[in-house]
């Protein structure tokens, strides 16, 4: 009887040994918090990160919280000693501000530990540095292009323009045909007014001049910038964007995209992150096809503005800095970046990645990154406002351009305000690092 009881208890103990470690391991894993916007992209990233990282890591689990205003409130949360362990921001400028405020930890030790300087392209990590320390890792390479109704272009025999002169002529031609040339409405996100400002400063005045102004070698009141802003204002006054200024100020992004899909408008200025499948084809109630072309330049060279739509840091108040760093290393791996692009259409980070990353993506999306990379390698790149422009100036650009459109201030006064804002940013040491051309 004793032998049977002993065998029984040994059997029970053996079963417990087999069962308990899995339970304890799951409980003992560090819980990392990440926030995202509560939208389709946020849900996709949440699903991918929780399934991918939680299977990959033996020591941590990530939990994603989706919030409608996640990025807006994250700074306030960190200031109060809360917020997520892993901190995403809308771009490097905001991330650097958090770093300078002591809300993020320096990442230099992790760059050395995980050889991240070999993983990122040469200029990228410099964008996350302030005061000699690295606080953020740059993510989401972005550019702006014109997505257009290819079927409409073919029907009217319109050619994709290469130069700014050809582009301006095309706008007039499209308007003469009774079609809205450009469909954009920023009613649900007024800061996007900076898109057209960036496009005309870089592609009309020229990226070399923008570089000189960002590095303090040329004033923002330069005649070339004045000509660019004046031309942009004329286009708006002509009603060539959204069909009128009132719609330009109030229409939503979906409204603008639907106008292009239905053929009411010819094109829309949008990001590389945008993929307009929902607005074209039988599912959208039309038989139209879409494609894209780069923003034309003054000399006809193919040029792309470059910027970063996101950046990542680690909350100084987090108790799990090392595990948060491991999550970032995992996320910035080429394999995960490629998966994120294919599954969620989230732009690649500025890391070294093979061409196989584009397998499984639509050829039009792959073409953007391929041609973007080729142009950048030849020095034909410009500067998106949210990637390279300092914070006070960036806000001034999108807020004050609306006053230009309304006739409240002149283009000259607009650029004078931009210069004053830039001077404030210089005094505050808030101008992001600008890679040398």
């Amino acid at each position: 009887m004793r032998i049977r009881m002993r065998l029984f208890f040994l059997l029970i103990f053996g079963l417990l040994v087999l069962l308990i470690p899995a339970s304890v391991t799951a409980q003992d894993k560090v819980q990392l918090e990440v926030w995202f916007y509560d939208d389709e992209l946020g849900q996709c990233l949440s699903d991918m990160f929780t399934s991918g990282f939680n299977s990959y890591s033996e020591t941590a689990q990530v939990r994603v919280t989706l919030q409608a205003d996640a990025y807006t409130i994250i700074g306030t949360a960190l200031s109060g000693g809360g917020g997520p362990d892993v901190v995403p921001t809308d771009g490097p400028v905001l991330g650097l501000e958090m770093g300078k405020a002591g809300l993020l930890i320096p990442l230099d030790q992790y760059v050395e530990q995980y050889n991240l300087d070999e993983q990122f392209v040469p200029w990228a990590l410099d964008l996350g540095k302030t005061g000699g320390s690295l606080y953020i890792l740059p993510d989401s390479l972005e550019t702006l292009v014109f997505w257009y109704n290819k079927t409409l272009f073919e029907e009217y025999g319109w050619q994709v323009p290469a130069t700014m002169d050809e582009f301006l002529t095309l706008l007039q031609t499209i308007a003469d045909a009774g079609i809205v040339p450009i469909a954009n409405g920023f009613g649900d996100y007024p800061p996007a007014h900076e898109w057209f400002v960036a496009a005309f400063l870089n592609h009309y005045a020229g990226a070399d001049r923008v570089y000189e102004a960002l590095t303090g070698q040329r004033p923002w009141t330069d005649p070339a910038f004045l000509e660019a802003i004046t031309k942009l204002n004329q286009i708006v006054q002509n009603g060539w964007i959204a069909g009128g200024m009132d719609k330009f100020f109030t229409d939503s992004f979906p409204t603008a995209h639907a106008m292009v899909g239905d053929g009411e408008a010819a094109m829309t200025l949008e990001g590389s992150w945008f993929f307009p499948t929902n607005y074209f084809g039988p599912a959208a109630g039309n038989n139209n096809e879409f494609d894209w072309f780069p923003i034309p330049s003054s000399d006809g060279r193919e040029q792309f503005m470059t910027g970063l739509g996101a950046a990542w840091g680690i909350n100084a108040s987090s108790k799990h800095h090392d595990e948060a760093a491991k999550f970032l290393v995992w996320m910035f791996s080429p394999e995960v970046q490629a998966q994120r692009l294919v599954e969620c259409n989230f732009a690649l980070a500025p890391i070294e990645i093979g061409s196989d990353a584009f397998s499984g993506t639509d050829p039009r999306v792959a073409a953007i990154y391929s041609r973007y990379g080729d142009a950048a390698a030849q020095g034909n790149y410009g500067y998106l406002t949210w990637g390279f422009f300092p914070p006070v100036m960036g806000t001034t650009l999108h807020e004050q351009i609306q006053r230009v459109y309304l006739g409240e201030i002149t283009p000259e006064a607009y650029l004078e305000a931009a210069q004053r804002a830039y001077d404030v940013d210089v005094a505050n040491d808030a101008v992001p690092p600008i890679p040398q051309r």
Side-chain angles (χ1 to χ4, degrees), residues 31-344:
Q31 302 296 309
L32 296 175
E33 182 81 10
V34 180
W35 291 359
F36 283 130
Y37 275 124
D38 187 8
D39 55 15
E40 184 177 353
L41 174 60
Q43 186 61 62
C44 183
L45 292 173
S46 174
D47 295 341
M48 190 190 121
F49 284 178
T50 52
S51 62
F53 181 75
N54 293 352
S55 299
Y56 163 82
S57 176
E58 298 180 355
T59 58
Q61 287 188 320
V62 66
R63 179 180 60 200
V64 179
T65 299
L66 301 180
Q67 303 191 58
D69 53 355
Y71 291 1
T72 305
I73 65 174
I74 205 165
T76 302
L78 265 60
S79 297
D85 300 281
V86 185
V87 180
T89 74
D90 270 334
V93 174
L94 180 58
L96 289 175
E97 290 297 303
M98 292 181 180
K100 288 194 293 185
L103 302 178
L104 304 178
I105 66 167
L107 301 175
D108 305 271
Q109 62 173 318
Y110 299 116
V111 171
E112 182 177 355
Q113 180 178 349
Y114 295 107
N115 298 316
L116 293 178
D117 54 337
E118 299 176 6
Q119 186 166 323
F120 283 81
V121 297
W123 55 265
L125 290 181
D126 286 343
L127 296 179
K129 293 180 179 179
T130 182
S133 296
L134 178 77
Y135 287 94
I136 55 171
L137 297 177
D139 195 9
S140 184
L141 275 171
E142 294 179 342
T143 190
L144 289 171
V145 299
F146 279 106
W147 296 90
Y148 70 100
N149 188 316
K150 184 178 180 181
T151 304
L152 193 67
F153 267 59
E154 291 175 349
E155 178 183 345
Y156 282 88
W158 299 330
Q159 299 298 311
V160 169
T163 69
M164 263 292 173
D165 286 342
E166 293 172 355
F167 177 68
L168 296 173
T169 299
L170 176 62
L171 296 184
Q172 181 68 68
T173 301
I174 294 173
D176 290 343
I179 296 171
V180 175
I182 304 171
N184 277 96
F186 298 143
D188 44 7
Y189 190 64
H193 278 286
E194 67 187 348
W195 293 4
F196 281 95
V197 173
F200 274 77
L201 290 179
N202 282 276
H203 291 261
Y204 192 98
D208 287 336
R209 291 188 176 97
V210 173
Y211 168 78
E212 292 170 356
L214 285 172
T215 54
Q217 304 173 63
R218 180 185 294 269
W220 288 104
T221 53
D222 187 271
F225 297 141
L226 176 59
E227 184 178 348
I229 297 302
T230 300
K231 183 59 66 176
L232 170 59
N233 187 42
Q234 290 174 355
I235 290 173
V236 173
Q237 301 306 322
N238 289 343
W240 289 353
I241 302 179
M245 194 186 310
D246 55 339
K247 294 183 178 181
F248 187 27
F249 274 72
T250 60
D251 276 358
S252 66
F253 285 103
T255 297
H257 299 156
M259 288 176 64
V260 182
D262 293 339
E264 184 181 345
M267 68 189 86
T268 183
L269 181 65
E270 257 288 0
S272 48
W273 59 84
F274 176 62
F275 194 54
T277 51
N278 292 338
Y279 303 95
F280 287 82
N286 60 64
N287 294 311
N288 296 325
E289 296 183 7
F290 66 90
D291 209 336
W292 66 274
F293 62 86
I295 301 171
S297 62
S298 293
D299 60 9
R301 286 187 300 173
E302 190 161 290
Q303 174 182 293
F304 294 82
M305 290 182 289
T306 189
L308 298 164
W312 295 78
I314 297 175
N315 188 345
S317 298
S318 170
K319 298 179 181 179
H320 310 297
H321 293 168
D322 290 347
E323 296 302 331
K326 291 178 182 178
F327 170 80
L328 291 178
V329 171
W330 171 83
M331 190 191 71
F332 281 105
S333 67
E335 297 78 13
V336 175
Q337 288 287 308
Q339 180 187 0
R340 194 179 67 169
L341 173 67
V342 172
E343 293 185 8
C344 301

